[in-house]
Amino acid sequence: RMAALRPINKVSTGHTACIHDIAHDYYGKRLATCSSDKSIRVFDKDENDEWKLTSQWSAHKSVIWRVEWAHPEFGQLLASCSDDRHVIIWAEKESTKHTGGGESQVKFQSVATLVDFQKAVTCMHFAPSHLGLQLATCCNDGRLRLHKGDPTNLNMWTVVGEFEPDGTGFGSYVNCVSWNKSRVDGPTLVVGWWRASDPKVSSVGVWGYSHEQQRWSCITRLELEADTKGGFSEVRDVDWAPTMGRQHHLIAVAVGSTVQVFKLPSLQGWQERKVEALERPAVLTVGEGQPPI
């Protein structure tokens, strides 16, 4: 049995309410946090491997659910989504000196606000850099949207895709998304949702973009396993693992008190064939009495 791991470091964030998300940048040198206190904080690792608060600001008018760094080839960009129905893109500007000659303060400024949502935006994920500056967003209005930014003018963002996973509609919460990082499969992502009136009605689907048809289509659905009591719970998160030279894909789904790991074949040429999971998912279960994931 594996021994319990203890933290090697603790960071005092200064948030005054629940922290909902944390995100490392591409190099693991920066850390962003967001909270119910409506603020974002950015920490940089110094030469002593200590996390130092370098920027903090009031970012939204309501709870902030997620923060996400873009790939560094697009600059120091940070996105945040909130209950206020907005997604905001933040860009780092030149550092400003504190009065009195103290340490400089990193400054992030809003460069774009995405307002195409009818309800809370609960999740988002930047596309891998080879697909350009794209952001997938999940909304409680039952829709997934894809925005594309102009790297030469970060104020310009347009909706380039939009769909309802499995015909979810306005009564469903589309609440998690993850991109396929592979360069050979084309644009593909995994999406999770659950029914607002009955969280036990949940589903996860793999979607791909067809350049010929110029639209997103469902490639396959992942058949979730029941929990130890024979029931189903809402899907809370999904993650598409890097392929790392494998001939198949691994997708992890957090549902109830389990993490279910699915194995998919290569998705090359998915438009011409049926794609299904290679086997039933491996199910990792949280110990008895533990809260849902």
Side-chain angles (χ1 to χ4, degrees):
R1 181 176 179 178
M2 182 179 292
L5 299 178
R6 296 185 178 277
I8 60 174
N9 196 2
K10 293 183 179 180
V11 179
S12 179
T13 66
H15 282 295
T16 58
C18 177
I19 296 173
H20 292 288
D21 196 23
I22 57 176
H24 279 103
D25 74 341
Y26 181 82
Y27 299 108
K29 298 290 188 180
R30 311 192 87 172
L31 184 69
T33 63
C34 65
S35 166
S36 285
D37 65 11
K38 310 172 190 176
S39 73
I40 296 174
R41 297 176 183 234
V42 174
F43 302 81
D44 287 343
K45 184 174 284 192
D46 64 16
E47 61 275 8
N48 298 317
D49 278 347
E50 296 291 333
W51 292 103
K52 300 295 183 183
L53 177 65
T54 55
S55 190
Q56 58 180 312
W57 68 97
S58 179
H60 286 266
K61 297 179 180 179
S62 189
V63 175
I64 305 173
W65 292 115
R66 295 287 182 104
V67 285
E68 170 94 353
W69 293 96
H71 191 278
E73 76 173 67
F74 303 114
Q76 290 297 304
L77 290 186
L78 190 65
S80 59
C81 63
S82 167
D83 251 8
D84 64 9
R85 307 182 183 187
H86 291 164
V87 171
I88 301 180
I89 311 297
W90 308 90
E92 182 182 349
K93 301 300 181 181
E94 292 184 5
S95 299
T96 56
K97 289 286 186 181
H98 288 305
T99 56
E103 294 182 355
S104 61
Q105 176 77 17
V106 175
K107 179 74 172 178
F108 281 81
Q109 293 182 352
S110 170
V111 293
T113 301
L114 313 183
V115 295
D116 307 285
F117 314 98
Q118 300 180 51
K119 284 191 175 184
V121 187
T122 55
C123 184
M124 61 193 174
H125 195 196
F126 277 109
S129 60
H130 65 271
L131 295 177
L133 185 56
Q134 292 194 66
L135 183 68
T137 56
C138 298
C139 183
N140 284 351
D141 62 10
R143 301 188 72 81
L144 184 138
R145 295 174 177 85
L146 295 113
H147 289 79
K148 188 169 186 178
D150 182 350
T152 64
N153 182 1
L154 295 174
N155 304 114
M156 298 296 296
W157 289 77
T158 56
V159 177
V160 294
E162 183 175 354
F163 58 86
E164 295 180 358
D166 296 328
T168 50
F170 203 74
S172 297
Y173 292 162
V174 181
N175 66 325
C176 48
V177 62
S178 183
W179 286 88
N180 176 8
K181 290 86 173 172
S182 171
R183 291 176 175 267
V184 301
D185 293 324
T188 42
L189 42 77
V190 58
V191 186
W193 65 270
W194 49 281
R195 188 74 64 188
S197 59
D198 185 1
K200 294 182 180 179
V201 179
S202 297
S203 184
V204 176
V206 176
W207 288 70
Y209 183 76
S210 169
H211 291 286
E212 291 183 358
Q213 300 178 2
Q214 295 188 343
R215 66 183 180 91
W216 287 86
S217 302
C218 184
I219 299 174
T220 188
R221 289 180 60 177
L222 304 183
E223 297 297 329
L224 302 175
E225 295 284 304
D227 59 27
T228 55
K229 297 180 180 179
F232 291 88
S233 301
E234 64 269 23
V235 173
R236 287 296 184 180
D237 205 4
V238 293
D239 190 54
W240 197 315
T243 55
M244 302 296 289
R246 289 186 298 266
Q247 297 300 311
H248 59 270
H249 294 278
L250 295 176
I251 296 175
V253 181
V255 50
S257 60
T258 67
V259 174
Q260 303 185 20
V261 182
F262 292 83
K263 185 177 178 181
L264 292 179
S266 170
L267 298 178
Q268 286 185 278
W270 60 264
Q271 298 92 337
E272 290 80 33
R273 61 186 175 88
K274 186 177 182 180
V275 176
E276 293 182 337
L278 296 175
E279 54 196 50
R280 293 176 64 183
V283 179
L284 314 178
T285 306
V286 177
E288 291 295 327
Q290 297 297 314
I293 295 170

